[in-house]
C-alpha cells in the first residue's frame, strides 16, 4: 500500500471515536449560521483533546487516554441510502487528485526507474469517508451515539422551556418505534445542555442568570455556557483570522453543503425517499429542520450512476468546492471564541462524557462478573430467560443467514460486546480484547455469524493496538471475519472495512505480500470504485516489497485503471495507466504497450487533454505494431479523429508534427536542374544525372577528377581556392558540407523516402515542401527579409504539390517534390506538409489484399484527414579528424537542404545522333553531336573532357579545311579518300602534318578537348550539329566512357563560374584484328637514294574475330606509317594479290621497307601504302586524329612507367651524352597504322565497316603489338620478403646496344665462274661496307682471322681464306659509311659463307671492344663454279 500521512494506530483510533449527537433549537442554529456553519461544524475542528485524559477502569486502575477525539454530529433520522453513499465516495475520490508539481517518488528496481506517487490521498479520503458514512448496525455499537448535546440560544424567550422540548424530542427519537435511526449506545443517553450566547448582540447578564438556573436544574457537570460571535462581522475586515474549518469542510463537501435548498428539490422529485413526517412536520415542531433527512439523500431514482452522471456529479462537486472554499467561515469569531469552543469540548469530555462512559463500563462489568459467577446451566437458563424472543432451534442454513439469529438489545452477549466497544473507544484495548474474545466464543456457539465476525474483527484490532504488543496480531481472526462477512453475511461494506483495517496493519508490519493478497481478494464486480482503489493499493504493496515486484505492480495498476475507468474516474484511470506504462515501455511487449497507449489516448481525449491523447495514439502508430490490419486501421482512425479535434482548438497555431508515414531523412536526395529528356528516334540525349541513377562513389570521384582537370586547364594549371565541384544530386554519400548552388528558374527536386509501418494503406493529399527563403542580390549590399512559406510567396519560390500519394501497407515509397525559385537568395527546405488520411475500405476482408485495385485512378478517402507537417532533419557525418573530435561525438553540418539560388546561367543540352552501342575493336564510326542552349543567356568556352580521349574526335583543324572527297561520301566512309593511280600500288604516298594541327603537344592536357563551335559562342535557343568520329577501344568488352562537357557564361558570376554536363556512353566492343610488328635493320646498306639507313618492317595481322558478330572477312586496305624520322618506302610482299583478305582465324604477314625521312623534326611524315584503289589520307581527320591521340595515350602509359626511375635519373645528371647517343642507335620511332575494312552480314544486308589499328615501334628487334598482351598470372605465387634496393643506373651502354653501333654489309657476286684447270687459286673481290649508326665517333676493328669452330659449318660451306691484311683498324665519324675492299681466295668449287669477318667497335674514349651483331645475321653465301 502507499504511504499514509497517519500511522496505523492513529488511523484506527480516528476511525472509531465516541459519537455525540447535537440537537439545536432554530435560534441556536441561526447564531452558528452567522459563521456559515452548523453547530456540529462549528465545534468539529476542536474535537481532538490536546491533553491526556484519565479515567478508572472497572478494577479501579488509572487508565490514561491520549489524543482522544470525539465526533459531534447533527441528528439525522433517516439512514443514508447505499446509492447516496456510493455517490459521495465517488465524488470524494474524484475531487482528490495528485497535487500539481508534486515530486514523485523515484523507485529503482532492477533496470527500472519508476516515478510513482508515494502517497495516495484519494484512497485516504475514500477510506475516511467510507468509515464515517457507514450506517449504524445492530450487531455492534461502535457508531452508536453515546451522548447528546442539547443546544439553545440565550436570546430565546424561554431557554429552559426550549431545553425541555429538545430533551423530549431526543427521547422521542431514541425510544419511539417511529424512529429506527439513529442508533443509541444505551437507553440512558447522556444529555448535555449547552446555552449558546451571542456576545455581539445578546445580553450577557441574562445569559449568566439563565446559566445559573441551568446549573441548579442540571448540575454543574451537565451544562455549559458557550459564548461566541464576539467579533462584529463588518469591523476590521483586514484582520486575518485563521480558518480551521476549511480542511474539514473540503473533505466532506457534500455532507457540509447547506441542505436547505436541496430538500425542496428532493421532495419534488422523489418524495418516497423522505420520511413520512416530511418537511411540514419539522417546521410545525419549530425545531431545526436538518435532522430528519440524511444529507446523503439521493436525487436519482436509481441507486447506480452511469459514467455521464458521474461526470456531472464531479463537475458539480468541483463547483461546490470552489464556492465553499470561497465562502469565509467563522467570520464572527475571534481567537478567544476559538479558545472558548476548545474549552467547551474539553469540559464536556472531562466532566460529562468520560465519567458517563466510566460509569457505564462499571455497570456492564458488574453484569459480566455476575454472569461468570453463575453456573453454566443456570446461565444458559438465564440466557433463555433474557432472550425470550430468540428461538435457538434453527436449521444450518438459517444459522448461516445474517438475519437468521437476532439478539434482543438486553441480551447478555450484546452487553459484553457493548462493554468491549466502550473500552475500545476509550483506548482500553486490553479489556476490550478480553471482552471481544469472550463475546466471540458465545456468538460462535450460537452460530450468530454476523455477531461473531464483528467480534473477531475488533478482537484482532484490539490485539494489535495493545501497548507493548503482548500478543501477535491474529491475522486469522481477520481472515475469518472477512470470509464470514463476504460469503455468509453477504455484507461487502463490513468486509471492506475489515480489509482496510487489516491491510493497513499488515503493511505496518511490512507484510506486503499478505496485504496485497487481502486487497485483491475483495475486488469484485459489485463495486468498480472499491475494486479500483484496492487494486491500486495492492500494486503499491508489490512495489514496496523488499525486492519490488515491478511487473506485478504494473499489471495491477492496469487492472486498477480499468476499474477506475468503469467507475467513471477518468483522471485516476489515466494516472494508473500512465504509471504502468513506465514498466511496459520499451520492453518489446508491443501489444500491451498498444493497449495501454490506446486507453491513455481514450481517457485523455475524454478529459479533453488532447495533447496527451495525440501523443498516446502517436506512440501506437510509430512503434512497429504487431496488431492485425483491422486493429491498426481502427487505431489510425481514432488518432485522426483525436488529432482533428486537437487542431480545431487552435486553427491558427503552427502546423503540428505528424507521426506517419516514417521519413528516412538521411535518405533524402536533392536534385538540381531539369529532368533528363528521353531519346527521340536517332537522337539520344546526354545521360547527365537523374534521380533514377544509383550513387556510385567511384564514378562520382571520376567526375570530380574530370572537372578538376578541365578547371585546371582553364586556370593555367591551378585550381582556384573557391572551386566547388558541381554536384547535381546530393545524397547521404555526397559531400554536403558546403551550401549547394542552384540556378534561378531551374527546378529543385527533393526526393523524400516515406515508409508506411502499418498494415493499412495511407493516403497523403496535397503533399508539398515546406521552405524558408531569404532574398539576396549577390553583388548588392542590401539583403531582403526572410520569408516563411505562405500563400502569397509563389512569386519567390514556386511549390509543386502532389494531389494524392498512396503508400500501401508496409511499403517504402519515394515522393519527388519540386520547388521553382524565382529570385536569388538563400533557400532552406524545412520539411514536408500534407494531409494524412486513410483509404475507405482499407481493411482487407477474406484475405484479399486491400492494396489491390488502389493502384490506379482516384483513391476514395474515408473523409477523415488532418493537415500537419514533418521536418526533414538530417544529421551530418561524424567528425573524426582532430584528436578532440575523435574523443568526443561531434557531427558536421549537412547542407543539402540549404541551397543558394544564384543568378541566371546558360544551360546546355547535348544530343547524340547515330551514336553506336556496339563497335569492333579499332572500328571508326562517324556520328553527330547536337549542342543546344536552352537558357536565356549565351554560353561560351565549350570543352569536353574524358579519360579516354582516344575514343572520339571532333576532327583536327584540317577537317575544317579539307572537305571530304566525293568518293568517300559515296561509300559512306568516315575517312578522307583519294582515288589512286594503279601504278603507285605498294609504293608510299607521302603527306605530312603537324601535331599542333590536331591539338597535340600544345602544352594543354590531351584529355581536355575544345569543341569547335562556330564563333566559339552558342546563343540562347541556338543549336549546332558537329561531326564526331568514334573509334572502338582496342580491348574487347563493355566500356563506360565518361564525357564531361564544360561551359561558361559570357557574364562572370561571383557564385557560379562554370557549368558542366555529364554523359556516359556505353560501348560494347568485339574482337577484330590483332597486329604484331617488328623492325630490323636491312642488310642492304644503300637504298635507291644512296643513303645508308633502311630497315625492314614485318607486320603480322591476325583475324581474331569470332563469327558471332557476323563479320565475314577483313580486308587490309592500307598500311601507313607516321614518324618524324622514318617512313615506309614500299611493300616487299612476294604475293601478287592486290588486296589482303582475312577470314576468321586467318593470319597474314606483310613486309615493308622503311627509310629515314629528310624533312625537319617538327612535322610528322605520313606514308601510305595502299592495297586497294583508294588512298585514305592518313594525315587528315579522323585517321590522323586517332593516331595522335593513341600516340599521346601511349606516351602517357610509358611516361607513368618510367616516372618511377626519375629520382634515380636525377642523381646521374652528369651522364655522358655519348652513351645516350649509342643507346639511341637501337631505338626507332616508327608508328604503323593498319587500315582495314570488314564485311558484315546483318539482316541479309552486307555492311562495310572500316577501322584502323596502331602499332608503336620503339626498339629494333623488339616485337610490338596493337594492344598490349595480358600476362596470365599464376594462381599461387610464393610470397617473397626482400629489401627494396635502388637499381643502379647503367653508366655504360649495354653490349647489345654497342653491338648495334656499326652496321656491316658485304657486297659480292652471288656466283663466280673460275677455271680451276687454268689457275688453281680463285680470287674474288668483296666490298665490306661499314656504317656508323650513331652520332658519335667510333673505333672499328675488323678481324679476318676468324675460323668457323664447328665441323658442321665446314661441311656445309667449305673453307676459304682472305688475302691481304688480316686486321684493319678504322675510325668512323657519326653516320659515316666506309667501304673496305677485300679479296677472298678459294681453292675449289662449292658454296661458301663470306660472313666470317669479325667486326669490333668501341667508343673513342672507351677501352673495351664489342663485337657487332653482324655474326648473327644471315650467311653471305657465294657459289664458286668451275668452267
Amino acid at each position: 500500500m502507499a504511504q499514509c500521512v497517519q500511522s496505523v494506530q492513529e488511523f484506527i483510533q480516528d476511525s472509531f471515536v465516541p459519537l455525540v449527537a447535537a440537537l439545536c433549537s432554530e435560534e441556536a442554529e441561526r447564531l452558528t449560521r452567522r459563521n456559515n456553519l452548523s453547530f456540529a461544524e462549528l465545534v468539529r475542528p476542536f474535537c481532538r483533546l490536546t491533553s491526556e485524559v484519565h479515567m478508572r477502569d472497572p478494577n479501579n486502575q488509572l487508565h490514561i487516554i491520549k489524543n482522544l477525539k470525539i465526533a459531534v454530529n447533527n441528528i439525522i433520522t433517516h439512514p443514508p441510502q447505499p446509492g447516496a453513499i456510493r455517490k459521495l465516495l465517488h465524488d470524494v475520490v474524484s475531487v482528490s487528485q495528485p497535487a500539481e508539481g508534486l515530486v514523485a517518488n523515484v523507485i529503482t528496481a532492477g533496470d527500472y526507474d519508476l516515478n510513482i506517487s508515494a502517497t495516495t490521498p484519494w484512497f485516504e479520503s475514500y477510506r475516511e469517508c467510507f468509515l464515517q458514512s457507514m450506517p449504524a448496525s445492530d450487531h455492534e455499537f461502535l457508531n452508536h451515539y453515546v451522548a447528546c448535546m442539547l443546544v439553545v440560544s440565550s436570546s430565546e424567550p424561554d431557554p429552559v422551556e426550549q431545553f425541555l422540548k429538545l430533551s423530549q424530542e431526543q427521547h422521542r427519537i431514541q425510544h419511539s418505534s417511529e424512529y429506527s435511526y439513529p442508533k443509541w449506545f444505551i437507553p440512558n443517553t447522556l444529555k448535555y445542555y449547552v446555552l449558546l450566547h451571542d456576545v455581539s448582540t445578546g445580553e450577557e447578564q441574562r445569559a449568566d442568570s439563565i446559566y445559573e438556573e441551568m446549573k441548579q436544574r442540571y448540575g454543574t457537570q451537565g451544562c455549559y455556557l458557550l459564548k461566541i460571535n464576539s467579533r462584529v462581522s463588518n469591523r476590521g475586515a483586514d484582520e486575518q483570522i485563521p480558518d480551521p474549518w476549511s480542511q474539514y469542510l473540503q473533505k466532506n463537501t457534500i455532507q457540509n453543503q447547506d441542505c436547505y435548498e436541496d430538500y425542496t428539490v428532493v421532495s419534488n422529485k422523489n418524495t418516497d425517499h423522505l420520511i413520512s413526517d416530511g418537511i411540514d412536520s419539522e417546521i410545525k415542531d419549530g425545531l431545526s429542520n436538518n435532522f430528519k433527512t440524511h444529507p446523503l439523500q439521493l436525487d436519482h431514482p436509481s441507486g447506480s450512476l452511469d459514467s455521464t452522471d458521474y461526470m456531472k456529479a464531479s463537475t458539480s462537486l468541483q463547483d461546490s468546492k470552489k464556492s465553499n472554499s470561497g465562502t469565509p467561515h467563522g467570520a464572527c469569531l475571534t481567537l478567544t471564541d476559538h479558545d472558548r469552543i476548545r474549552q467547551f469540548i474539553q469540559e464536556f469530555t472531562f466532566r460529562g462524557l468520560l465519567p458517563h462512559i466510566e460509569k457505564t463500563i462499571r455497570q456492564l462489568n458488574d453484569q459480566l462478573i455476575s454472569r461468570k459467577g453463575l453456573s453454566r446451566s443456570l446461565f444458559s437458563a438465564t440466557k433463555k430467560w433474557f432472550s425470550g424472543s430468540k428461538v435457538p432451534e434453527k436449521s444450518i442454513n438459517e444459522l448461516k443467514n445474517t438475519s437468521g439469529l437476532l439478539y434482543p438489545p438486553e441480551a447478555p452477549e450484546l452487553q459484553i460486546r457493548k462493554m468491549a466497544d466502550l473500552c475500545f473507544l476509550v483506548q482500553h484495548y486490553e479489556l476490550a480484547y478480553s471482552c471481544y474474545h469472550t463475546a466471540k466464543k458465545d456468538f460462535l456457539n450460537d452460530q450468530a455469524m454476523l455477531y461473531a465476525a464483528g467480534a473477531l474483527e475488533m478482537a484482532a484490532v484490539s490485539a494489535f493496538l495493545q501497548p507493548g504488543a503482548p500478543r501477535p496480531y491474529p491475522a486469522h481472526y481477520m481472515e475469518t471475519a472477512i470470509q464470514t462477512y463476504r460469503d455468509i453475511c453477504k455484507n461487502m461494506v463490513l468486509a471492506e472495512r475489515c480489509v482496510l483495517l487489516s491491510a493497513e496493519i499488515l503493511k505496518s508490519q511490512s507484510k506486503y505480500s499478505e496485504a496485497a493478497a487481502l486487497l485483491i481478494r475483495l475486488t469484485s464486480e459489485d463495486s468498480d470504485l472499491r475494486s479500483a482503489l484496492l487494486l491500486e493499493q495492492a500494486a503499491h504493496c508489490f512495489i514496496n516489497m523488499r525486492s519490488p515486484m515491478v511487473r506485478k505492480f504494473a499489471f495491477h495498476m492496469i487492472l486498477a485503471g480499468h476499474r477506475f475507468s468503469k467507475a467513471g474516474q477518468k483522471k485516476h484511470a489515466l494516472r494508473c495507466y500512465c504509471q504502468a506504462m513506465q514498466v511496459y515501455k520499451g520492453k518489446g511487449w508491443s501489444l500491451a504497450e498498444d493497449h495501454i497507449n490506446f486507453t491513455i489516448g481514450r481517457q485523455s481525449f475524454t478529459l479533453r487533454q488532447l495533447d496527451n491523447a495525440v501523443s498516446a495514439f502517436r506512440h501506437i502508430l510509430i512503434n512497429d505494431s504487431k496488431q492485425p490490419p483491422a486493429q491498426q486501421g481502427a487505431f489510425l482512425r481514432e488518432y485522426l479523429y483525436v488529432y482533428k479535434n486537437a487542431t480545431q482548438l487552435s486553427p491558427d497555431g503552427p502546423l503540428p508534427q505528424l507521426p506517419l508515414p516514417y521519413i528516412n531523412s538521411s535518405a533524402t536526395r536533392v536534385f538540381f536542374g531539369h529532368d533528363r529528356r528521353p531519346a527521340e528516334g536517332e537522337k539520344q540525349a546526354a545521360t547527365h544525372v537523374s534521380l533514377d541513377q544509383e550513387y556510385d562513389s567511384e564514378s562520382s570521384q571520376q567526375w570530380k577528377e574530370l572537372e578538376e582537370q578541365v578547371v585546371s586547364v582553364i586556370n593555367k594549371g591551378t585550381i582556384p581556392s573557391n572551386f566547388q565541384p558541381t554536384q547535381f544530386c546530393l545524397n547521404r554519400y555526397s559531400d554536403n558540407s558546403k551550401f549547394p548552388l542552384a540556378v534561378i528558374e531551374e527546378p529543385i527536386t527533393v526526393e523524400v523516402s516515406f515508409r508506411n509501418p502499418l498494415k493499412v494503406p495511407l493516403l497523403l493529399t496535397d503533399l508539398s515542401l515546406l521552405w524558408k527563403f531569404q532574398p539576396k542580390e549577390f553583388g548588392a549590399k542590401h539583403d531582403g527579409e526572410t520569408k516563411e512559406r505562405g500563400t502569397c510567396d509563389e512569386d519567390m519560390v514556386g511549390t509543386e504539390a502532389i494531389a494524392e500519394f498512396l503508400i500501401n501497407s508496409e511499403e517504402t515509397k519515394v515522393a519527388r517534390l519540386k520547388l521553382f525559385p524565382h529570385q536569388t537568395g538563400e533557400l532552406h527546405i524545412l520539411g514536408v506538409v500534407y494531409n494524412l488520411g486513410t483509404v475507405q475500405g482499407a481493411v482487407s476482408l477474406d484475405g484479399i489484399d486491400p492494396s489491390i485495385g488502389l493502384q490506379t485512378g482516384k483513391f476514395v478517402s474515408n473523409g477523415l484527414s488532418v493537415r500537419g507537417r514533418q521536418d526533414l532533419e538530417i544529421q551530418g557525418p561524424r567528425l573524426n579528424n582532430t584528436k578532440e573530435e575523435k574523443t568526443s561525438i561531434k557531427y558536421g553540418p549537412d547542407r543539402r537542404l540549404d541551397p543558394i539560388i544564384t543568378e541566371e546561367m546558360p544551360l546546355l543540352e547535348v544530343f547524340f545522333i547515330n551514336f553506336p552501342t556496339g563497335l569492333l575493336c579499332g572500328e571508326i564510326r562517324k556520328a553527330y553531336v547536337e549542342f543546344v542552349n536552352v537558357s536565356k543567356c549565351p554560353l561560351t568556352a565549350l570543352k569536353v573532357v574524358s579519360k579516354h580521349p582516344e575514343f572520339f574526335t571532333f576532327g583536327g583543324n584540317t577537317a575544317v579545311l579539307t572537305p571530304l572527297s566525293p568518293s568517300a561520301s559515296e561509300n559512306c566512309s568516315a575517312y578522307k579518300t583519294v582515288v589512286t593511280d594503279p601504278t603507285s600500288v605498294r609504293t608510299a604516298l607521302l603527306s605530312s602534318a603537324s601535331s599542333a594541327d590536331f591539338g597535340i603537344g600544345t602544352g594543354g592536357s590531351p584529355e581536355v578537348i575544345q569543341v569547335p563551335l562556330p564563333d566559339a559562342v552558342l546563343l540562347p535557343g541556338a543549336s549546332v550539329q558537329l561531326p564526331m568520329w568514334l573509334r572502338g577501344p582496342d580491348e574487347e568488352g563493355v566500356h563506360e566512357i565518361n564525357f564531361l562537357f564544360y561551359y561558361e557564361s559570357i557574364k562572370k558570376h561571383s557564385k557560379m563560374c562554370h557549368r558542366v554536363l555529364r554523359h556516359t556512353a556505353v560501348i560494347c566492343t568485339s574482337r577484330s584484328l590483332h597486329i604484331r610488328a617488328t623492325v630490323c635493320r636491312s642488310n642492304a646498306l644503300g637504298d635507291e637514294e644512296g643513303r645508308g639507313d633502311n630497315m625492314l618492317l614485318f607486320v603480322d595481322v591476325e583475324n581474331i574475330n569470332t563469327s558471332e558478330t557476323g563479320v565475314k572477312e577483313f580486308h587490309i586496305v592500307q598500311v601507313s606509317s607516321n614518324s618524324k624520322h622514318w617512313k615506309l618506302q614500299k611493300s616487299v610482299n612476294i604475293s601478287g594479290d592486290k588486296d589482303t583478305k582475312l577470314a576468321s582465324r586467318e593470319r597474314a604477314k606483310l613486309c615493308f621497307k622503311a627509310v629515314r625521312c629528310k624533312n625537319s623534326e617538327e612535322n610528322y611524315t605520313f606514308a601510305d601504302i595502299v592495297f586497294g584503289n583508294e588512298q585514305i589520307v592518313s594525315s587528315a581527320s579522323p585517321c590522323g586524329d586517332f593516331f595522335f591521340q593513341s600516340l599521346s595515350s601511349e606516351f602517357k602509359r610509358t611516361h607513368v612507367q618510367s616516372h618511377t626511375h626519375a629520382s634515380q635519373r636525377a642523381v646521374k645528371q652528369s651522364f655522358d651524352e655519348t652513351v645516350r647517343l649509342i643507346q639511341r642507335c637501337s631505338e626507332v620511332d616508327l608508328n604503323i597504322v593498319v587500315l582495314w575494312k570488314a564485311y558484315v552480314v546483318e539482316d541479309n544486308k552486307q555492311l562495310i565497316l572500316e577501322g584502323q589499328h596502331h602499332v608503336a615501334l620503339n626498339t629494333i628487334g623488339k616485337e610490338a603489338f596493337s594492344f598490349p598482351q595480358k600476362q596470365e598470372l599464376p594462381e599461387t605465387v610464393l610470397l617473397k620478403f626482400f629489401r627494396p634496393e635502388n637499381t643502379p643506373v647503367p653508366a655504360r651502354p649495354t653490349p647489345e646496344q654497342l653491338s648495334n653501333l656499326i652496321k656491316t654489309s658485304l657486297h659480292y657476286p652471288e656466283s663466280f665462274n673460275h677455271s680451276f684447270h687454268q689457275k688453281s687459286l680463285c680470287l674474288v673481290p668483296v666490298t665490306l661496307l661499314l656504317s656508323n649508326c650513331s652520332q658519335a665517333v667510333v673505333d672499328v676493328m675488323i678481324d679476318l682471322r676468324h675460323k668457323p669452330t664447328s665441323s658442321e659449318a665446314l661441311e656445309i660451306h667449305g673453307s676459304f681464306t682472305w688475302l691481304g691484311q688480316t686486321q684493319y683498324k678504322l675510325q668512323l665519324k657519326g653516320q659515316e659509311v666506309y667501304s673496305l675492299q677485300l679479296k677472298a681466295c678459294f681453292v675449289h668449287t662449292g658454296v661458301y659463307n663470306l660472313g666470317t669477318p669479325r667486326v669490333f667497335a668501341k667508343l673513342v674514349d672507351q677501352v673495351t671492344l664489342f663485337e657487332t651483331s653482324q655474326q648473327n645475321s644471315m650467311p653471305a653465301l657465294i657459289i664458286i663454279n668451275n668452267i
Side-chain angles (χ1 to χ4, degrees), residues 727-794:
Q727 295 189 100
F728 295 100
C729 184
L730 300 177
N731 52 36
R732 70 175 85 180
Y733 307 109
S734 54
D735 177 14
N736 305 324
S737 56
K738 294 180 181 172
F739 292 102
L741 300 175
V743 179
I744 189 170
E745 302 297 346
E746 289 186 19
I748 298 168
T749 308
V750 180
E751 183 186 87
V752 184
S753 174
F754 291 106
R755 181 169 77 83
N756 177 8
L758 303 182
K759 298 183 180 78
V760 290
L762 295 176
L763 180 62
L764 311 188
T765 53
D766 195 15
L767 171 64
S768 59
L769 288 169
L770 201 61
W771 48 263
K772 189 168 75 175
F773 184 72
Q774 184 176 6
K776 274 192 178 180
E777 289 291 330
F778 296 108
K781 289 183 180 178
H782 178 68
D783 292 341
E785 56 181 297
T786 306
K787 295 276 185 185
E788 285 268 2
R789 179 195 164 176
T791 49
C792 58
D793 297 332
E794 290 294 318

Side-chain angles (χ1 to χ4, degrees), residues 363-384 386 390 407 410-419 434-446:
Q363 288 173 355
L364 291 168
N365 188 54
D366 290 344
Q367 289 179 20
L368 185 61
I369 290 168
S370 63
R371 174 195 164 186
K372 279 183 180 174
L374 297 170
S375 67
R376 186 71 195 158
S377 59
L378 179 64
F379 184 69
S380 59
T382 315
K383 200 158 82 171
K384 278 184 188 178
F386 276 115
K390 186 176 74 172
Y407 291 98
E410 63 278 6
E413 292 89 346
L414 287 191
Q415 302 308 314
I416 302 173
R417 170 69 204 237
K418 199 174 282 187
M419 178 179 166
S434 169
C435 294
Y436 284 132
H437 202 269
T438 308
K440 173 202 68 162
K441 289 178 184 174
D442 290 343
F443 292 140
L444 285 173
N445 288 336
D446 294 341

